[in-house]
Amino acid sequence: MKRAYCIFWLLLITFFSAAASSYNVFEENGKVGLKNEQGKILIPAKYDALGWSNGKFSIVNNVTGYKDAGVWGLINLENQLITKAIYEDVFTGDGSLIIARKKSNLSLRTVAGCLSTSGKEVIPFQYDGINISFMHAIVFTKIGNQYKYGLIDLDNKTLIPQQFKSIYSIGSLRYAVENFDNKMALPFTKFPSVENDCGNNGLKE
């Protein structure tokens, strides 16, 4: 099963890479646009950058990122803006999910969340960082002077509370946790009630 899962993701990555190679980012008058392999202009040259804020370029469900006036948004290949340019970063997570970062409406913090390619908010913008892993998300937030890690599903339901020094994916739906005493526990194949099932800051003795 694990091997089949890995093959699926390898094929998906290969598909997206092949799809991206069918397009050409071009520059005109200091701005960039996008052409298909026949040279047809899909997105006119009016943006500061196309692709993702990490410098990579790919097309996900006919959507990519665009940069305008120093901030990022999502645009499709029909030159329709999926979101306004309000994000400090946009880049791909697993599958068709987009991780984005923006200024919080409540403070000066930059917060991370997750979008679908239709622009819908999948994971709310309330974390300092997100890493999508096997249809779950490892999230972290600075609490006091420490970053604390937890695990959520894509409905933002807590699976492992944010109280660990780090969480590591060690395979499909398997996670190891490390507490602030540098003690490790693995694997987390189920997601126990930490208060009821675990001691020592969430780690079994």
Side-chain angles (χ1 to χ4, degrees):
M1 180 68 181
K2 182 178 179 181
R3 181 180 179 185
Y5 188 89
C6 292
I7 291 172
F8 168 77
W9 280 107
L10 180 61
L11 290 173
L12 193 63
I13 291 169
T14 302
F15 170 78
F16 284 139
S17 298
S21 66
S22 300
Y23 301 96
N24 177 43
V25 177
F26 71 98
E27 184 174 349
E28 187 175 283
N29 298 323
K31 299 291 185 178
V32 300
L34 190 70
K35 296 179 180 179
N36 64 16
E37 57 186 344
Q38 287 78 38
K40 179 183 177 181
I41 294 176
L42 303 175
I43 300 174
K46 56 184 294 189
Y47 299 106
D48 298 331
L50 290 172
W52 309 109
S53 57
N54 57 10
K56 297 180 180 180
F57 178 82
S58 63
I59 303 294
V60 182
N61 290 347
N62 286 327
V63 169
T64 192
Y66 73 96
K67 186 178 184 182
D68 187 30
V71 284
W72 291 83
L74 301 179
I75 189 171
N76 66 23
L77 297 184
E78 286 72 47
N79 194 34
Q80 298 170 329
L81 299 185
I82 304 300
T83 72
K84 295 180 180 179
I86 59 172
Y87 303 103
E88 294 193 358
D89 289 293
V90 289
F91 50 92
T92 56
D94 266 3
S96 61
L97 296 175
I98 309 298
I99 297 172
R101 299 171 69 246
K102 67 177 182 178
K103 290 291 186 183
S104 169
N105 294 327
L106 303 176
S107 68
L108 296 178
R109 288 176 60 218
T110 297
V111 288
C114 192
L115 303 170
S116 70
T117 51
S118 65
K120 179 183 177 182
E121 185 177 289
V122 177
I123 296 174
F125 286 80
Q126 64 185 62
Y127 302 102
D128 285 325
I130 297 175
N131 179 26
I132 305 296
S133 175
F134 298 106
M135 301 308 294
H136 293 139
I138 298 172
V139 296
F140 62 88
T141 305
K142 190 172 185 180
I143 301 172
N145 62 352
Q146 295 176 321
Y147 286 101
K148 295 190 176 183
Y149 286 72
L151 186 76
I152 62 173
D153 64 18
L154 298 185
D155 292 319
N156 201 38
K157 176 184 177 182
T158 297
L159 302 176
I160 299 175
Q162 280 188 263
Q163 62 185 50
F164 293 99
K165 180 179 178 181
S166 195
I167 295 179
Y168 308 94
S169 173
I170 56 172
S172 178
L173 303 181
R174 302 183 72 183
Y175 300 88
V177 298
E178 179 182 5
N179 71 6
F180 287 91
D181 294 323
N182 298 318
K183 294 182 178 180
M184 301 281 292
L186 70 153
F188 263 100
T189 53
K190 297 181 180 179
F191 304 102
S193 167
V194 170
E195 292 183 358
N196 295 333
D197 297 340
C198 300
N200 191 26
N201 196 24
L203 301 186
K204 291 184 177 181
E205 299 287 353

